[in-house]
Amino acid sequence: RRPRKRSSPSPSPMRGRWLALMTTALTTTTRGFVARTGSWRHGLASLGRREATAADREERELAELKAKEATLLSQLHEVQREKARVLATRQLSIGIVGFGRFGQFLAEAFRRAKHDVSVLSRSDRAAEAADAGALSYFSLGDTGQVDEFFAQDLDVVVLAISIVSFEETLRRLRPSIDAACRNGTNTPLIVDVLSVKEHARRAMLDNLPTEASLLCTHPMFGPDSGRHSWAGLNLVYDRVRIYDDAIDRCERFLSIFESEGCRMVQLSCRQHDVYAANSQFLTHLVGRMLGETDLSLRKTPIDTKGFESVLRIVETTCDDSFDLFYGLYRFNQHSKSTLLSLRKALADLELRLIHLELSHQPSQRGALSPQFNTTSADPAEGLEHIAATAVPAGSV
């Protein structure tokens, strides 16, 4: 017999409602997901636009602030130039003690600014003083002439003498300065131009009368570097002791450098010496060291820019007196640590080179003791080891 064909059961009303509800739910969920996705995309796009707008706004604000800053700086420079012009119209009577290269260099600038200049010098510099336009010349070796120099009722006295002889010269000048303080209408404003400032400050406070106003300065340039212009060159100064009657003279004196375009840097004497030990003394040390080697440093047809800079350092530092170099070392307490650091660095570099050289020679491996590595704490001991183990030139 053939099997009876079964008929499909008809869906119950409950099942139909359930399917309808599921379909509606899925449709709603899908539409909601699509809507939310679109909303997220729109939100992300809006956030990106807001971030871009905020960044643009910040950039515009920064540009506006920079423009304002440039305007204010321009106005400040204009005010400074105007102040310097006004102050320069009031003539100063400036005495220069010491008339070597630097004293003559300053005298030329003072005369350009229309100030009167008198000279007191240990060496015979009468001809140079006349060439510089000085009104008078006096000899430091004659006590009577020293008294005459200070009896001129000078507004400012500039001490352009060497670091080494600075304190001794102050003691020699003290009686004449005392007399000027008692008899003159002005108590003199004493200005030093030494390359070390703590020593100068201490020496002037210890050896000059308390009535005298004191200004420490350091023109960070000289006859060579400032030959053509002083624009942008640093003038460091510290008003050590300025009495009310010397404020105007102090401002007028500083305005000479300001009107020449110097960058005016007010700095304590101590901080100056900290900076100078790692800049000026280091420069002179490297220049002197290279100048006294047997390398015969001179220009060649294939010089790099770096080597040209090295030659300029050697030339400018070796043109200065050795007394200046010694003074930078002897009278700046921070210079010794700079020298020791450079010595250790040189020893460490040489040890690294020796270590690397020996490591490439199988027969020499292990010749350099482990304690003499790149972190050797005792350069002197390391150098002794180098001297004992160095490979003869030409043997590698």
Side-chain angles (χ1 to χ4, degrees), residues 24-51:
T24 302
L26 286 172
T27 302
T28 302
T29 302
T30 303
R31 287 174 179 170
F33 175 75
V34 172
R36 284 193 298 274
T37 302
S39 177
W40 291 341
R41 289 174 180 169
H42 178 72
L44 289 173
S46 299
L47 179 61
R49 285 194 296 273
R50 284 197 298 271
E51 289 179 349

Side-chain angles (χ1 to χ4, degrees), residues 269-337:
C269 292
R270 180 186 178 281
Q271 192 60 58
H272 166 278
D273 283 4
V274 171
Y275 289 149
N278 290 324
S279 58
Q280 189 183 27
F281 174 70
L282 184 62
T283 302
H284 277 259
L285 177 62
V286 171
R288 288 279 176 182
M289 184 170 60
L290 292 175
E292 295 185 14
T293 63
D294 296 328
L295 298 177
S296 300
L297 298 177
R298 58 180 181 274
K299 291 182 179 181
T300 73
I302 59 170
D303 288 351
T304 62
K305 293 296 182 183
F307 185 69
E308 289 176 357
S309 299
V310 168
L311 289 179
R312 283 195 296 272
I313 289 174
V314 173
E315 180 182 358
T316 56
T317 54
C318 292
D319 278 348
D320 289 323
S321 68
F322 196 83
D323 274 356
L324 171 62
F325 178 55
Y326 171 70
L328 293 173
Y329 167 78
R330 171 68 178 82
F331 296 104
N332 185 342
Q333 60 178 324
H334 308 283
S335 293
K336 293 179 177 63
S337 61

Side-chain angles (χ1 to χ4, degrees), residues 120-121 138-151 171-177 179:
L120 176 66
S121 178
F138 302 88
S139 172
L140 186 58
D142 187 327
T143 303
Q145 290 196 31
V146 175
D147 290 339
E148 288 181 46
F149 173 80
F150 283 99
R171 288 193 289 268
R172 189 169 184 177
L173 298 176
R174 175 65 186 264
S176 300
I177 296 175

